[in-house]
Structure formats: structure tokens, C-alpha cells
Coordinates of all heavy atoms in Angstrom, one line a residue:
M1 N -10.5 -7.6 -10.0 CA -10.4 -6.2 -9.7 C -9.0 -5.7 -10.2 O -8.1 -6.5 -10.4 CB -10.7 -5.8 -8.2 CG -9.8 -6.6 -7.2 SD -10.3 -6.2 -5.5 CE -10.0 -4.5 -5.4
T2 N -8.9 -4.4 -10.3 CA -7.7 -3.8 -10.8 C -7.1 -2.9 -9.7 O -7.8 -2.2 -9.0 CB -8.0 -2.9 -12.0 OG1 -8.6 -3.7 -13.0 CG2 -6.8 -2.2 -12.5
V3 N -5.7 -3.0 -9.5 CA -5.0 -2.1 -8.6 C -3.8 -1.6 -9.4 O -3.2 -2.3 -10.2 CB -4.6 -2.7 -7.3 CG1 -5.9 -3.1 -6.5 CG2 -3.7 -3.9 -7.5
T4 N -3.4 -0.3 -9.0 CA -2.2 0.3 -9.7 C -1.3 0.8 -8.6 O -1.7 1.5 -7.7 CB -2.6 1.4 -10.6 OG1 -3.5 1.0 -11.6 CG2 -1.4 2.1 -11.2
F5 N 0.0 0.4 -8.8 CA 1.1 0.9 -7.9 C 1.9 1.9 -8.8 O 2.2 1.6 -10.0 CB 2.0 -0.2 -7.5 CG 1.5 -1.2 -6.5 CD1 0.7 -2.2 -7.0 CD2 1.7 -1.1 -5.1 CE1 0.2 -3.2 -6.1 CE2 1.2 -2.0 -4.3 CZ 0.5 -3.0 -4.7
V6 N 2.3 3.0 -8.3 CA 3.2 3.9 -8.9 C 4.6 3.7 -8.2 O 4.6 4.1 -7.0 CB 2.8 5.3 -9.0 CG1 3.8 6.2 -9.7 CG2 1.4 5.4 -9.6
E7 N 5.5 3.2 -8.8 CA 6.8 3.0 -8.2 C 7.6 4.3 -8.1 O 7.4 5.2 -8.8 CB 7.7 1.9 -9.0 CG 7.0 0.6 -9.0 CD 7.8 -0.4 -9.9 OE1 8.6 0.0 -10.7 OE2 7.6 -1.6 -9.7
E8 N 8.6 4.3 -7.1 CA 9.4 5.4 -7.0 C 10.1 5.6 -8.4 O 10.6 4.7 -9.0 CB 10.5 5.2 -6.0 CG 10.7 6.3 -5.1 CD 11.9 6.1 -4.1 OE1 12.1 4.9 -3.7 OE2 12.5 7.1 -3.7
G9 N 10.1 6.8 -8.9 CA 10.6 7.1 -10.2 C 9.5 7.2 -11.2 O 9.7 7.7 -12.3
G10 N 8.2 6.8 -10.8 CA 7.1 7.1 -11.7 C 6.5 6.0 -12.5 O 5.5 6.2 -13.2
A11 N 7.2 4.8 -12.5 CA 6.7 3.7 -13.3 C 5.4 3.2 -12.8 O 5.3 3.0 -11.6 CB 7.7 2.6 -13.4
E12 N 4.4 3.0 -13.7 CA 3.1 2.5 -13.2 C 3.0 1.0 -13.4 O 3.4 0.5 -14.5 CB 2.0 3.2 -14.1 CG 1.7 4.6 -13.7 CD 0.3 5.0 -14.1 OE1 -0.6 4.1 -14.4 OE2 0.0 6.2 -14.0
R13 N 2.6 0.3 -12.4 CA 2.4 -1.1 -12.5 C 0.9 -1.4 -12.2 O 0.4 -1.2 -11.1 CB 3.2 -1.8 -11.4 CG 4.7 -1.5 -11.4 CD 5.5 -2.2 -12.6 NE 5.2 -3.6 -12.7 CZ 5.9 -4.5 -11.9 NH1 6.8 -4.2 -11.0 NH2 5.6 -5.8 -12.1
K14 N 0.2 -1.7 -13.3 CA -1.3 -1.9 -13.1 C -1.5 -3.4 -13.2 O -1.1 -4.1 -14.2 CB -2.0 -1.2 -14.3 CG -3.5 -1.3 -14.2 CD -4.1 -0.3 -15.3 CE -5.6 -0.4 -15.2 NZ -6.2 0.6 -16.2
F15 N -2.3 -3.9 -12.3 CA -2.6 -5.3 -12.3 C -4.1 -5.5 -12.4 O -4.9 -5.0 -11.6 CB -2.1 -6.0 -11.0 CG -0.6 -5.8 -10.9 CD1 -0.1 -4.9 -9.9 CD2 0.3 -6.3 -11.7 CE1 1.2 -4.7 -9.7 CE2 1.7 -6.1 -11.6 CZ 2.1 -5.3 -10.6
E16 N -4.5 -6.4 -13.3 CA -5.9 -6.6 -13.6 C -6.2 -8.1 -13.2 O -5.3 -8.9 -13.1 CB -6.3 -6.4 -15.0 CG -6.1 -4.9 -15.4 CD -6.3 -4.7 -16.9 OE1 -6.3 -5.6 -17.7 OE2 -6.4 -3.5 -17.3
G17 N -7.5 -8.3 -12.9 CA -7.9 -9.7 -12.5 C -7.4 -10.1 -11.1 O -7.2 -11.2 -10.8
V18 N -7.1 -9.1 -10.3 CA -6.7 -9.3 -8.9 C -7.8 -9.8 -8.0 O -8.9 -9.3 -8.1 CB -6.1 -8.0 -8.3 CG1 -5.8 -8.1 -6.8 CG2 -4.8 -7.6 -9.0
E19 N -7.5 -10.9 -7.3 CA -8.5 -11.5 -6.4 C -8.6 -10.6 -5.2 O -7.6 -10.3 -4.6 CB -8.1 -12.9 -6.0 CG -8.2 -13.9 -7.1 CD -9.6 -14.2 -7.6 OE1 -10.5 -14.1 -6.7 OE2 -9.8 -14.5 -8.8
P20 N -9.9 -10.3 -4.7 CA -10.0 -9.6 -3.4 C -9.6 -10.6 -2.3 O -9.2 -11.8 -2.6 CB -11.5 -9.2 -3.4 CG -12.2 -10.1 -4.4 CD -11.1 -10.5 -5.4
S21 N -9.8 -10.2 -1.1 CA -9.5 -11.1 0.0 C -8.0 -11.4 0.2 O -7.6 -12.4 0.8 CB -10.2 -12.4 0.0 OG -11.6 -12.2 -0.1
Q22 N -7.2 -10.5 -0.4 CA -5.8 -10.5 0.0 C -5.4 -9.1 0.3 O -6.2 -8.2 0.0 CB -4.9 -11.1 -1.2 CG -5.1 -10.4 -2.5 CD -4.3 -11.0 -3.6 OE1 -3.2 -11.5 -3.4 NE2 -4.8 -11.0 -4.8
S23 N -4.2 -8.9 0.8 CA -3.8 -7.6 1.1 C -3.2 -6.9 -0.1 O -2.7 -7.6 -1.0 CB -2.8 -7.5 2.3 OG -1.6 -8.0 1.9
L24 N -3.2 -5.6 -0.1 CA -2.6 -4.9 -1.2 C -1.1 -5.2 -1.3 O -0.5 -5.4 -2.4 CB -2.8 -3.4 -1.0 CG -2.2 -2.5 -2.1 CD1 -2.8 -2.7 -3.5 CD2 -2.4 -1.0 -1.7
M25 N -0.5 -5.4 -0.1 CA 1.0 -5.7 -0.1 C 1.2 -7.0 -0.8 O 2.2 -7.2 -1.6 CB 1.4 -5.8 1.4 CG 2.8 -6.4 1.6 SD 3.0 -8.2 1.5 CE 2.5 -8.7 3.1
E26 N 0.3 -8.0 -0.6 CA 0.5 -9.3 -1.2 C 0.6 -9.2 -2.8 O 1.3 -9.9 -3.5 CB -0.5 -10.3 -0.8 CG -0.3 -10.7 0.7 CD -1.5 -11.6 1.2 OE1 -2.6 -11.1 1.2 OE2 -1.2 -12.7 1.7
V27 N -0.3 -8.4 -3.3 CA -0.3 -8.1 -4.7 C 1.0 -7.5 -5.2 O 1.6 -8.0 -6.2 CB -1.5 -7.2 -5.2 CG1 -1.4 -6.9 -6.7 CG2 -2.8 -7.8 -4.7
G28 N 1.5 -6.5 -4.5 CA 2.7 -5.9 -4.8 C 3.9 -6.8 -4.7 O 4.8 -6.9 -5.6
R29 N 3.9 -7.6 -3.7 CA 5.1 -8.5 -3.5 C 5.1 -9.6 -4.5 O 6.1 -10.0 -5.1 CB 5.1 -9.1 -2.1 CG 6.4 -9.7 -1.7 CD 6.5 -10.1 -0.3 NE 5.5 -11.0 0.1 CZ 5.4 -11.7 1.3 NH1 6.3 -11.4 2.2 NH2 4.5 -12.5 1.5
T30 N 3.9 -10.2 -4.8 CA 3.8 -11.2 -5.8 C 4.3 -10.8 -7.2 O 4.9 -11.6 -7.9 CB 2.3 -11.7 -5.9 OG1 1.8 -12.2 -4.7 CG2 2.1 -12.7 -7.0
H31 N 4.1 -9.5 -7.5 CA 4.5 -9.0 -8.8 C 5.8 -8.3 -8.8 O 6.2 -7.7 -9.8 CB 3.4 -8.2 -9.4 CG 2.1 -8.9 -9.7 ND1 1.1 -9.0 -8.8 CD2 1.7 -9.6 -10.8 CE1 0.1 -9.8 -9.3 NE2 0.5 -10.1 -10.5
G32 N 6.5 -8.3 -7.7 CA 7.8 -7.7 -7.6 C 7.8 -6.2 -7.7 O 8.7 -5.6 -8.3
V33 N 6.7 -5.6 -7.2 CA 6.7 -4.1 -7.3 C 7.9 -3.5 -6.5 O 8.1 -3.9 -5.3 CB 5.3 -3.6 -6.7 CG1 5.4 -2.0 -6.5 CG2 4.2 -4.0 -7.6
S34 N 8.6 -2.7 -7.1 CA 9.8 -2.1 -6.5 C 9.4 -1.3 -5.2 O 8.5 -0.5 -5.3 CB 10.5 -1.2 -7.5 OG 11.6 -0.6 -6.9
G35 N 10.1 -1.5 -4.1 CA 9.8 -0.8 -2.9 C 8.9 -1.4 -2.0 O 8.7 -1.0 -0.8
I36 N 8.2 -2.5 -2.4 CA 7.3 -3.2 -1.5 C 8.1 -4.4 -1.0 O 8.1 -5.5 -1.5 CB 6.0 -3.7 -2.2 CG1 5.2 -2.5 -2.7 CG2 5.2 -4.5 -1.2 CD1 4.6 -1.6 -1.7
L37 N 8.9 -4.2 0.1 CA 9.8 -5.2 0.6 C 9.1 -6.2 1.5 O 9.3 -7.4 1.5 CB 11.0 -4.5 1.4 CG 11.7 -3.5 0.5 CD1 12.8 -2.9 1.4 CD2 12.4 -4.1 -0.7
A38 N 8.2 -5.6 2.3 CA 7.3 -6.5 3.2 C 8.1 -7.4 4.0 O 7.8 -8.6 4.1 CB 6.3 -7.2 2.4
D39 N 9.1 -6.9 4.7 CA 10.1 -7.8 5.5 C 9.4 -8.6 6.5 O 9.9 -9.7 6.8 CB 11.1 -6.9 6.1 CG 12.1 -6.3 5.1 OD1 12.2 -6.9 4.0 OD2 12.8 -5.4 5.4
C40 N 8.3 -8.1 7.1 CA 7.7 -8.9 8.2 C 6.6 -9.8 7.7 O 6.0 -10.5 8.5 CB 7.2 -7.9 9.3 SG 5.6 -7.1 8.8
G41 N 6.4 -9.8 6.4 CA 5.4 -10.7 5.9 C 4.0 -10.3 6.1 O 3.1 -11.2 5.9
G42 N 3.7 -9.1 6.5 CA 2.4 -8.6 6.6 C 1.9 -8.5 8.1 O 0.7 -8.4 8.3
A43 N 2.8 -8.6 9.0 CA 2.4 -8.6 10.4 C 2.3 -7.2 11.0 O 2.3 -7.1 12.3 CB 3.4 -9.4 11.2
C44 N 2.4 -6.2 10.2 CA 2.4 -4.8 10.7 C 3.5 -4.5 11.7 O 3.3 -3.9 12.7 CB 1.0 -4.5 11.4 SG 0.7 -2.7 11.5
A45 N 4.7 -5.0 11.3 CA 5.8 -4.9 12.2 C 7.1 -4.4 11.5 O 8.2 -4.6 12.1 CB 6.1 -6.3 12.9
C46 N 7.0 -3.9 10.3 CA 8.3 -3.5 9.7 C 8.2 -2.1 8.9 O 9.2 -1.5 8.7 CB 8.7 -4.5 8.7 SG 7.8 -4.7 7.2
A47 N 7.0 -1.8 8.4 CA 6.8 -0.5 7.7 C 7.5 -0.5 6.3 O 7.7 0.6 5.8 CB 7.1 0.7 8.5
T48 N 7.9 -1.7 5.8 CA 8.6 -1.7 4.5 C 7.6 -2.0 3.4 O 7.9 -2.5 2.3 CB 9.7 -2.7 4.4 OG1 9.2 -4.0 4.6 CG2 10.8 -2.4 5.5
C49 N 6.3 -1.7 3.7 CA 5.3 -1.9 2.6 C 4.5 -0.6 2.5 O 3.3 -0.6 2.1 CB 4.3 -3.1 3.0 SG 3.4 -2.8 4.5
H50 N 5.1 0.5 2.9 CA 4.5 1.8 3.0 C 4.1 2.4 1.6 O 4.9 2.4 0.7 CB 5.5 2.7 3.7 CG 5.1 4.1 4.0 ND1 6.0 5.1 4.4 CD2 3.9 4.8 3.9 CE1 5.4 6.2 4.5 NE2 4.1 6.1 4.3
V51 N 2.8 2.8 1.6 CA 2.4 3.4 0.3 C 1.6 4.7 0.7 O 1.2 4.9 1.8 CB 1.4 2.5 -0.5 CG1 2.1 1.3 -0.9 CG2 0.2 2.1 0.3
Y52 N 1.5 5.6 -0.3 CA 0.6 6.7 -0.3 C -0.6 6.5 -1.1 O -0.5 6.2 -2.3 CB 1.3 8.0 -0.8 CG 2.6 8.3 -0.2 CD1 3.8 8.5 -0.9 CD2 2.8 8.4 1.2 CE1 5.0 8.8 -0.4 CE2 4.0 8.7 1.8 CZ 5.1 8.9 1.0 OH 6.3 9.2 1.6
V53 N -1.8 6.5 -0.4 CA -3.0 6.2 -1.1 C -3.5 7.4 -1.9 O -3.4 8.5 -1.4 CB -4.1 5.8 -0.1 CG1 -5.5 5.6 -0.8 CG2 -3.7 4.5 0.7
D54 N -3.8 7.2 -3.2 CA -4.3 8.3 -4.0 C -5.4 9.0 -3.3 O -6.3 8.4 -2.7 CB -4.8 7.7 -5.3 CG -5.1 8.8 -6.4 OD1 -6.1 9.5 -6.2 OD2 -4.2 9.0 -7.3
D55 N -5.4 10.4 -3.3 CA -6.4 11.1 -2.6 C -7.9 10.7 -2.9 O -8.7 10.7 -2.0 CB -6.3 12.6 -2.9 CG -5.0 13.2 -2.2 OD1 -4.5 12.6 -1.3 OD2 -4.6 14.3 -2.6
A56 N -8.1 10.4 -4.1 CA -9.5 10.0 -4.5 C -9.9 8.7 -3.8 O -11.1 8.4 -3.7 CB -9.5 9.8 -6.0
W57 N -9.0 7.9 -3.3 CA -9.3 6.7 -2.7 C -9.3 6.7 -1.2 O -9.6 5.7 -0.5 CB -8.4 5.6 -3.2 CG -8.7 5.2 -4.6 CD1 -8.1 5.7 -5.8 CD2 -9.8 4.3 -5.1 NE1 -8.7 5.2 -6.9 CE2 -9.7 4.3 -6.5 CE3 -10.7 3.6 -4.4 CZ2 -10.6 3.6 -7.2 CZ3 -11.6 2.8 -5.1 CH2 -11.5 2.8 -6.5
M58 N -8.8 7.7 -0.6 CA -8.5 7.8 0.8 C -9.7 7.5 1.7 O -9.7 6.7 2.6 CB -7.9 9.1 1.2 CG -7.0 9.1 2.4 SD -5.8 7.8 2.4 CE -5.6 7.7 4.2
E59 N -10.9 8.0 1.3 CA -12.1 7.9 2.1 C -12.5 6.4 2.1 O -12.8 5.8 3.2 CB -13.2 8.7 1.5 CG -14.4 8.8 2.5 CD -15.5 9.7 2.0 OE1 -15.1 10.7 1.3 OE2 -16.6 9.5 2.4
K60 N -12.5 5.7 1.0 CA -12.9 4.3 0.9 C -11.9 3.4 1.6 O -12.2 2.5 2.3 CB -13.0 3.9 -0.5 CG -14.4 4.2 -1.1 CD -14.5 3.6 -2.5 CE -15.9 3.9 -3.0 NZ -16.0 3.7 -4.5
V61 N -10.6 3.7 1.5 CA -9.6 2.9 2.1 C -9.6 3.1 3.6 O -9.5 2.1 4.4 CB -8.2 3.3 1.5 CG1 -7.1 2.6 2.3 CG2 -8.1 2.8 0.1
G62 N -9.7 4.3 4.0 CA -9.8 4.6 5.5 C -8.4 4.8 6.0 O -7.4 4.6 5.3
G63 N -8.3 5.2 7.3 CA -7.0 5.6 7.9 C -6.4 4.4 8.7 O -7.1 3.3 8.8
A64 N -5.2 4.6 9.2 CA -4.5 3.6 9.9 C -5.1 3.4 11.3 O -5.6 4.4 11.9 CB -3.1 3.9 10.0
D65 N -5.1 2.2 11.9 CA -5.5 2.1 13.3 C -4.3 2.4 14.2 O -3.2 2.8 13.7 CB -6.1 0.7 13.5 CG -5.0 -0.4 13.4 OD1 -3.8 -0.1 13.3 OD2 -5.4 -1.6 13.3
A66 N -4.5 2.3 15.5 CA -3.4 2.7 16.4 C -2.1 2.0 16.2 O -1.0 2.6 16.3 CB -3.9 2.6 17.8
I67 N -2.2 0.7 16.0 CA -1.0 -0.1 15.9 C -0.2 0.2 14.6 O 1.0 0.4 14.6 CB -1.3 -1.6 15.9 CG1 -1.8 -2.0 17.3 CG2 -0.1 -2.5 15.5 CD1 -2.4 -3.4 17.4
E68 N -1.0 0.4 13.5 CA -0.4 0.8 12.2 C 0.2 2.2 12.3 O 1.3 2.4 11.8 CB -1.4 0.7 11.1 CG -0.9 1.0 9.7 CD -1.9 1.0 8.7 OE1 -3.0 0.3 8.9 OE2 -1.7 1.6 7.6
A69 N -0.5 3.1 13.0 CA 0.0 4.4 13.2 C 1.4 4.4 13.9 O 2.3 5.2 13.6 CB -1.0 5.3 13.9
E70 N 1.5 3.5 14.9 CA 2.8 3.4 15.6 C 3.9 3.0 14.6 O 5.0 3.5 14.7 CB 2.7 2.4 16.7 CG 2.2 3.0 18.0 CD 2.1 2.0 19.1 OE1 3.0 1.1 19.2 OE2 1.2 2.1 20.0
M71 N 3.6 2.0 13.8 CA 4.6 1.6 12.8 C 5.0 2.7 11.8 O 6.1 2.9 11.5 CB 4.1 0.4 12.0 CG 4.1 -0.9 12.8 SD 5.6 -1.3 13.7 CE 6.8 -1.3 12.4
L72 N 4.0 3.5 11.4 CA 4.2 4.6 10.5 C 5.1 5.6 11.1 O 5.9 6.3 10.4 CB 2.9 5.2 10.0 CG 2.2 4.3 8.9 CD1 0.8 4.8 8.7 CD2 2.9 4.4 7.6
D73 N 5.0 5.8 12.4 CA 5.9 6.7 13.1 C 7.3 6.4 13.0 O 8.2 7.2 13.1 CB 5.5 6.8 14.6 CG 4.3 7.6 14.9 OD1 3.8 8.3 14.0 OD2 3.7 7.5 16.0
L74 N 7.6 5.1 12.7 CA 9.0 4.7 12.6 C 9.6 5.2 11.2 O 10.8 5.2 11.1 CB 9.1 3.1 12.6 CG 8.8 2.4 13.9 CD1 8.9 0.9 13.7 CD2 9.6 3.0 15.0
V75 N 8.7 5.5 10.3 CA 9.2 6.1 9.0 C 8.6 7.5 8.9 O 8.2 7.9 7.8 CB 8.8 5.2 7.8 CG1 9.6 3.9 7.9 CG2 7.3 4.9 7.8
S76 N 8.6 8.2 10.0 CA 8.0 9.5 10.0 C 8.5 10.5 9.0 O 7.8 11.4 8.6 CB 8.0 10.1 11.5 OG 9.3 10.2 11.9
E77 N 9.8 10.3 8.7 CA 10.4 11.3 7.7 C 9.8 11.2 6.4 O 9.9 12.1 5.5 CB 11.9 11.1 7.6 CG 12.4 9.8 7.0 CD 12.7 8.7 8.1 OE1 11.8 8.5 9.0 OE2 13.7 8.1 7.9
F78 N 9.1 10.0 6.1 CA 8.5 9.8 4.8 C 6.9 9.8 4.9 O 6.2 9.6 4.0 CB 8.9 8.5 4.2 CG 10.3 8.3 4.0 CD1 11.1 7.4 4.7 CD2 11.0 9.2 3.1 CE1 12.5 7.3 4.5 CE2 12.3 9.0 2.9 CZ 13.1 8.1 3.6
Q79 N 6.5 10.1 6.2 CA 5.0 9.9 6.4 C 4.2 11.1 5.8 O 4.7 12.3 5.9 CB 4.8 9.9 7.9 CG 3.4 9.3 8.2 CD 3.3 9.0 9.7 OE1 4.2 9.1 10.5 NE2 2.1 8.7 10.2
K80 N 3.1 10.9 5.3 CA 2.2 11.9 4.8 C 0.8 11.6 5.3 O 0.5 10.5 5.8 CB 2.1 11.9 3.2 CG 3.4 12.2 2.5 CD 3.2 12.2 1.0 CE 4.5 12.5 0.3 NZ 4.3 12.5 -1.2
P81 N -0.2 12.5 5.2 CA -1.5 12.3 5.6 C -2.2 11.1 5.0 O -3.1 10.4 5.6 CB -2.3 13.6 5.3 CG -1.2 14.6 5.2 CD 0.0 13.9 4.7
N82 N -1.8 10.7 3.8 CA -2.4 9.6 3.1 C -1.5 8.3 3.2 O -1.6 7.4 2.3 CB -2.6 9.9 1.6 CG -1.4 10.4 0.9 OD1 -0.4 10.8 1.5 ND2 -1.5 10.4 -0.5
S83 N -0.6 8.3 4.1 CA 0.3 7.1 4.3 C -0.6 5.9 4.9 O -1.4 6.1 5.8 CB 1.4 7.4 5.4 OG 2.4 8.1 4.8
R84 N -0.3 4.7 4.3 CA -0.8 3.5 4.9 C 0.2 2.4 4.7 O 1.1 2.5 3.8 CB -2.1 3.1 4.1 CG -3.4 3.9 4.4 CD -3.9 3.8 5.9 NE -3.9 2.4 6.4 CZ -5.0 1.7 6.3 NH1 -6.1 2.1 5.7 NH2 -5.0 0.4 6.8
L85 N 0.1 1.4 5.5 CA 0.9 0.2 5.3 C 0.1 -0.8 4.4 O -1.0 -1.1 4.8 CB 1.3 -0.5 6.6 CG 2.2 0.4 7.5 CD1 2.5 -0.3 8.8 CD2 3.5 0.8 6.8
S86 N 0.6 -1.1 3.3 CA -0.2 -1.9 2.3 C -0.6 -3.2 2.8 O -1.6 -3.8 2.3 CB 0.5 -1.9 0.9 OG 1.7 -2.6 1.0
C87 N 0.1 -3.8 3.8 CA -0.3 -5.1 4.3 C -1.5 -5.0 5.1 O -2.2 -6.0 5.4 CB 0.8 -5.7 5.1 SG 1.2 -4.9 6.7
Q88 N -1.9 -3.8 5.5 CA -3.1 -3.6 6.3 C -4.3 -3.1 5.5 O -5.4 -2.8 6.1 CB -2.8 -2.6 7.5 CG -1.6 -3.0 8.4 CD -1.9 -4.3 9.0 OE1 -2.9 -4.6 9.7 NE2 -1.0 -5.3 8.8
I89 N -4.1 -3.1 4.2 CA -5.2 -2.7 3.3 C -5.8 -4.1 2.7 O -5.1 -4.7 1.9 CB -4.8 -1.8 2.2 CG1 -4.3 -0.5 2.8 CG2 -6.0 -1.5 1.3 CD1 -3.8 0.5 1.8
R90 N -6.9 -4.5 3.2 CA -7.5 -5.7 2.7 C -8.3 -5.4 1.5 O -9.2 -4.5 1.5 CB -8.4 -6.3 3.9 CG -9.1 -7.6 3.6 CD -8.2 -8.8 3.4 NE -7.1 -9.0 4.4 CZ -6.1 -9.9 4.2 NH1 -6.1 -10.7 3.2 NH2 -5.1 -10.0 5.1
L91 N -8.0 -6.0 0.4 CA -8.7 -5.7 -0.8 C -10.2 -6.2 -0.8 O -10.4 -7.3 -0.3 CB -8.0 -6.3 -2.1 CG -6.6 -5.6 -2.3 CD1 -5.9 -6.3 -3.5 CD2 -6.8 -4.1 -2.6
R92 N -11.0 -5.4 -1.3 CA -12.5 -5.8 -1.4 C -13.0 -5.1 -2.7 O -12.4 -4.2 -3.1 CB -13.2 -5.4 -0.2 CG -13.0 -4.0 0.2 CD -13.5 -3.7 1.7 NE -13.6 -2.2 1.9 CZ -12.6 -1.5 2.3 NH1 -11.4 -2.1 2.5 NH2 -12.7 -0.2 2.6
E93 N -14.1 -5.6 -3.2 CA -14.6 -5.1 -4.5 C -14.8 -3.6 -4.5 O -14.5 -3.0 -5.5 CB -16.0 -5.8 -4.8 CG -15.9 -7.3 -5.1 CD -15.1 -7.6 -6.3 OE1 -14.8 -6.7 -7.1 OE2 -14.7 -8.8 -6.5
E94 N -15.1 -3.0 -3.4 CA -15.3 -1.6 -3.3 C -14.0 -0.8 -3.7 O -14.0 0.3 -4.0 CB -15.6 -1.3 -1.8 CG -16.0 0.1 -1.5 CD -16.1 0.4 0.0 OE1 -15.5 -0.4 0.8 OE2 -16.6 1.4 0.4
L95 N -12.9 -1.5 -3.6 CA -11.6 -0.9 -3.9 C -11.1 -1.1 -5.3 O -9.9 -0.9 -5.6 CB -10.5 -1.3 -2.8 CG -10.8 -0.9 -1.4 CD1 -9.7 -1.4 -0.5 CD2 -11.1 0.6 -1.2
D96 N -12.0 -1.7 -6.1 CA -11.6 -1.9 -7.5 C -11.2 -0.6 -8.2 O -11.9 0.4 -8.2 CB -12.8 -2.5 -8.2 CG -12.5 -2.9 -9.7 OD1 -11.3 -3.1 -10.0 OD2 -13.4 -3.1 -10.4
G97 N -10.0 -0.6 -8.7 CA -9.4 0.6 -9.3 C -8.4 1.4 -8.5 O -7.9 2.4 -8.9
L98 N -8.2 0.9 -7.3 CA -7.3 1.5 -6.3 C -6.0 1.9 -6.9 O -5.4 1.1 -7.6 CB -7.2 0.6 -5.1 CG -6.2 1.1 -4.0 CD1 -6.8 2.3 -3.3 CD2 -6.1 0.0 -2.9
R99 N -5.5 3.0 -6.5 CA -4.2 3.5 -7.0 C -3.4 4.0 -5.8 O -3.9 4.8 -5.0 CB -4.5 4.6 -8.0 CG -3.3 5.2 -8.6 CD -3.7 6.4 -9.6 NE -2.5 7.1 -10.0 CZ -1.9 6.8 -11.1 NH1 -2.3 5.8 -11.9 NH2 -0.8 7.5 -11.5
V100 N -2.2 3.6 -5.7 CA -1.3 4.0 -4.6 C 0.1 4.3 -5.2 O 0.5 3.7 -6.2 CB -1.2 2.9 -3.5 CG1 -2.5 2.6 -2.9 CG2 -0.5 1.7 -4.0
E101 N 0.8 5.1 -4.5 CA 2.2 5.4 -4.8 C 3.1 4.7 -3.8 O 2.8 4.8 -2.6 CB 2.4 6.9 -4.8 CG 3.7 7.4 -5.2 CD 3.8 8.9 -5.0 OE1 2.8 9.6 -5.0 OE2 4.9 9.5 -4.9
V102 N 4.1 4.0 -4.2 CA 5.0 3.4 -3.3 C 5.9 4.5 -2.6 O 6.5 5.3 -3.3 CB 5.9 2.4 -4.0 CG1 6.9 1.7 -3.0 CG2 5.1 1.3 -4.7
A103 N 5.9 4.5 -1.3 CA 6.7 5.5 -0.5 C 8.2 5.1 -0.5 O 8.5 3.9 -0.5 CB 6.2 5.6 0.9
P104 N 9.0 6.1 -0.5 CA 10.4 5.7 -0.3 C 10.6 5.1 1.1 O 9.9 5.5 2.1 CB 11.2 7.1 -0.4 CG 10.1 8.1 -0.2 CD 8.8 7.5 -0.5
N105 N 11.5 4.2 1.3 CA 11.6 3.5 2.6 C 13.0 3.8 3.2 O 13.2 3.3 4.4 CB 11.3 2.0 2.5 CG 12.2 1.3 1.5 OD1 13.3 1.7 1.3 ND2 11.6 0.3 0.8
G106 N 13.8 4.5 2.6 CA 15.1 4.9 3.2 C 16.1 3.8 3.2 O 17.2 4.0 3.7
Y107 N 15.8 2.6 2.6 CA 16.8 1.5 2.6 C 17.7 1.6 1.3 O 17.2 2.0 0.3 CB 16.2 0.1 2.7 CG 15.4 0.0 4.0 CD1 14.0 -0.2 4.0 CD2 16.1 0.0 5.2 CE1 13.4 -0.4 5.3 CE2 15.4 -0.1 6.4 CZ 14.1 -0.3 6.4 OH 13.4 -0.5 7.6
Ligands
FES201 S1 4.7 -6.0 5.5 FE1 5.6 -5.4 7.4 S2 4.4 -3.8 8.0 FE2 3.5 -4.4 6.2

């Protein structure tokens, strides 16, 4: 499957042949996507993997659960309606073509 990150500054990083059953954060970190720091390693405890899901994908991706929403509150100055923590987005075939923008993290 294919996923695309848009880094801060507008650079597009498109990855093809991505295996499902990993998180979107893992793809970004593996390929050194700028702004995907993932300090907590995917435990939903740092909010340094914050992305904005492209509007066209929001319905399929779905919203944050209560624990993720609490973490997003920690970066509320950057939060938008389409904010998600990429470590909490589990890739599946349905999300082939997913496009997200990396959120500024303030660090
Ligand atoms: S990697 Fe820490 S919240 Fe996603």
C-alpha cells in the first residue's frame, strides 16, 4: 500500500509497498519523516507523532479515542479537527493511498 506524508514546509514523502499491520508512525519513523519524533515509541504518551489527516481520508481513518484525545490536548495550540496521533493509526488495506500532513510539534 501507499502512504504520503507532507512535511512541514511542504515536502511530500510518498512511500509505496508499505506493509499493513503497522502504525502510520512506524512508517514515518522508519523513513525519517521530518517531525515524526515518536518519543514514546508508539505508546500514546508523547504526542510527538501528531499529524493532520487529509479531509478525504478522515471518515475512513476515524477519530481519536478518549486516551488519544487527552494526549492531543497537550498540543492543543496545534490541534485541528483532523488531528490524530499517527502511532494510533493502524494501517490496513482500506487506507491504501492515505495522505497526512505532519503537524508542527513546537520543539
Ligand atoms: S509516538 Fe508517542 S504518542 Fe505517538
